[in-house]
Amino acid sequence: MNTFGHLLRVTTFGESHGPAIGCVVDGCPPGLPIAIEDFARDLERRATGRSRHTSQRREADEVEILSGVYEGVTTGTPIALLIRNTDARSKDYAAIAKQFRPGHADYTYQAKYGIRDPRGGGRSSARETTMRVAAGVIAKKWLAQAFGVEVRGYLSQLGEIRSSRPDMPDWLDVESNPFFWPDATQVPELEAYMDALRKSGDSVGARVEVVATGVPPGWGEPIYGKLDAELAATLMSINAVKGVEIGDGFDVVAMHGSLHRDVMRPGADGRPDFETNHAGGILGGISTGQPLRCSIAFKPTSSLRLPVESLDVDGNVVEVVTTGRHDPCVGIRATPICEAMVALVLMDQALRHRGQCGDAVSKR
Ligand code: EPS
């Protein structure tokens, strides 16, 4: 399963320390303008080495378009994208090649395959998310052009530090700091927190929010293939994600139905105006036309220089110390990755909705 999606199918390939990583995006309709320059912004937002708070591996992350685009537009055939790895430092992994980092996929990969590429975590590395972001650029562009849909995200919690979780932050503020943080006044506090954390050798988790606006009502499926189910599954496929909430998420447990229901009033364009959005833009697995809201929990990175007892592949007790260039908080770079996954799910659902219901006319 290196592929996800139905009518829009994305396959990624490659390892962190192999010659290249890549993806094939199959099912994009013809006629979408796509150029190399389209990829730069989001790849830069996700990349390592762009602030002192992330891994210091330096990759240019330049995309090569191998197929599916002719004279600047998509042709409807598979779009293959490639990014060459140029700054892998495999010697950092020599000492732990036969060891299992506690909290890492080292053990489960070994248990499943009986073999693993230990260099940079191989296929389990967050380097793979580069290609999700590249594929997501295509989905974001198609969604914006075809429907005016915008998919944007921000960080709402870094360790113990919380921001407000605004429905619609000032996106210029979010993009003006390396944390994707909506409240600029808290950035010095985040800087100091991360500097102290890095010095201590430890890591921490984070929470990312994604908001998609302009999604029309009707995208999704009623039973299997619910929009929220596919968002959750796809977001959970991102490295280090341990939880996904839609709308009010787990807060619904303590809510009463009289509060949670989003009351409808007549809207200007014949569609309902909702008073609130506790549902996060999805009812019964189908979009309501309200902003879609997802919240994603990232666990703390497991590659730490702090020594810890563990096992090696032969079952011996060992002391693991991970050196090298690791993120003290992967959540800091995760906003563009979450946006990309939401955009890819939405584009797939939009194509499926058009395929099944393209001729059906809803009064609402
Ligand atoms: C990662 C470990 C580090 C990060 C990497 C993700 O790898 P390396 O030791 O090779 O520098 O730099 O992130 C990226 C390379 C990237 O592009 O995101 C991990 O274990 O997931």
Side-chain angles (χ1 to χ4, degrees):
M1 284 300 290
N2 290 288
T3 301
F4 67 94
H6 296 263
L7 289 191
L8 183 77
R9 292 171 66 78
V10 177
T11 304
T12 71
F13 62 87
E15 282 85 30
S16 181
H17 288 207
I21 48 176
C23 70
V24 177
V25 180
D26 196 3
C28 179
L32 179 71
I34 286 289
I36 294 284
E37 302 77 61
D38 288 326
F39 298 96
R41 178 174 174 268
D42 273 352
L43 288 175
E44 192 65 21
R45 290 167 80 224
R46 190 218 67 93
T48 51
R50 301 321 195 250
S51 87
R52 69 180 186 278
H53 308 296
T54 63
S55 159
Q56 292 304 299
R57 180 165 160 177
R58 302 260 169 194
E59 291 287 348
D61 283 349
E62 276 163 12
V63 173
E64 295 168 47
I65 303 175
L66 303 184
S67 68
V69 178
Y70 177 64
E71 294 185 337
V73 296
T74 57
T75 57
T77 59
I79 303 166
L81 306 174
L82 193 83
I83 293 178
R84 293 180 197 275
N85 293 323
T86 57
D87 187 31
R89 214 169 62 187
S90 300
K91 67 175 168 40
D92 289 347
Y93 291 85
I96 59 166
K98 293 198 178 319
Q99 300 180 339
F100 302 132
R101 283 166 283 182
H104 197 277
D106 290 338
Y107 168 66
T108 50
Y109 270 53
Q110 188 78 34
K112 180 173 179 65
Y113 299 110
I115 184 172
R116 70 191 155 96
D117 177 355
R119 303 164 308 159
R123 184 75 180 148
S124 71
S125 170
R127 178 104 190 103
E128 185 268 349
T129 61
T130 319
M131 298 322 302
R132 301 171 185 236
V133 170
V137 165
I138 297 170
K140 280 183 175 179
K141 196 164 186 190
W142 185 82
L143 287 165
Q145 292 204 353
F147 295 96
V149 169
E150 297 285 347
V151 184
R152 287 175 290 215
Y154 61 95
L155 199 69
S156 67
Q157 189 170 345
L158 176 66
E160 301 91 340
I161 306 175
R162 294 167 196 265
S163 79
S164 59
R165 293 173 61 197
D167 282 350
M168 216 54 70
D170 182 329
W171 298 109
L172 287 178
D173 283 351
V174 169
E175 297 300 326
S176 70
N177 66 79
F179 303 100
F180 302 92
W181 197 261
D183 179 354
T185 64
Q186 281 180 295
V187 171
E189 186 189 352
L190 301 178
E191 304 260 4
Y193 182 86
M194 287 307 300
D195 288 342
L197 184 73
R198 209 171 47 248
K199 218 172 273 174
S200 76
D202 217 336
S203 64
V204 79
R207 183 199 274 260
V208 173
E209 314 282 330
V210 177
V211 184
T213 55
V215 176
W219 291 1
E221 302 275 347
I223 306 292
Y224 307 109
K226 283 179 192 276
L227 181 54
D228 37 7
E230 291 194 352
L231 285 169
T234 311
L235 288 164
M236 288 286 285
S237 78
I238 299 171
N239 317 54
V241 170
K242 282 296 190 189
V244 176
E245 296 181 328
I246 307 289
D248 285 356
F250 276 59
D251 287 349
V252 298
V253 174
M255 283 170 99
H256 289 180
S258 52
L259 174 68
H260 183 265
R261 59 188 176 185
D262 297 312
V263 171
M264 287 173 273
R265 307 238 183 268
D269 57 359
R271 286 180 178 164
D273 258 355
F274 292 86
E275 275 187 2
T276 49
N277 189 12
H278 297 292
I282 303 173
L283 289 171
I286 300 173
S287 60
T288 63
Q290 293 172 279
L292 209 125
R293 299 192 60 84
C294 310
S295 183
I296 305 108
F298 284 82
K299 69 169 183 167
T301 325
S302 51
S303 299
L304 306 176
R305 64 179 154 80
L306 303 176
V308 62
E309 187 180 303
S310 188
L311 298 177
D312 68 12
V313 289
D314 300 316
N316 302 308
V317 174
V318 291
E319 184 183 70
V320 178
V321 176
T322 310
T323 55
R325 306 167 292 183
H326 295 283
D327 292 85
C329 174
V330 276
I332 291 178
R333 303 193 280 126
T335 293
I337 308 168
C338 295
E339 291 172 355
M341 297 311 273
V342 169
L344 288 161
V345 168
L346 286 175
M347 180 169 172
D348 184 36
Q349 288 279 8
L351 292 171
R352 286 150 69 186
H353 179 64
R354 189 169 79 177
Q356 186 188 16
C357 302
D359 298 333
V361 180
S362 163
K363 283 198 190 112
R364 299 284 170 231

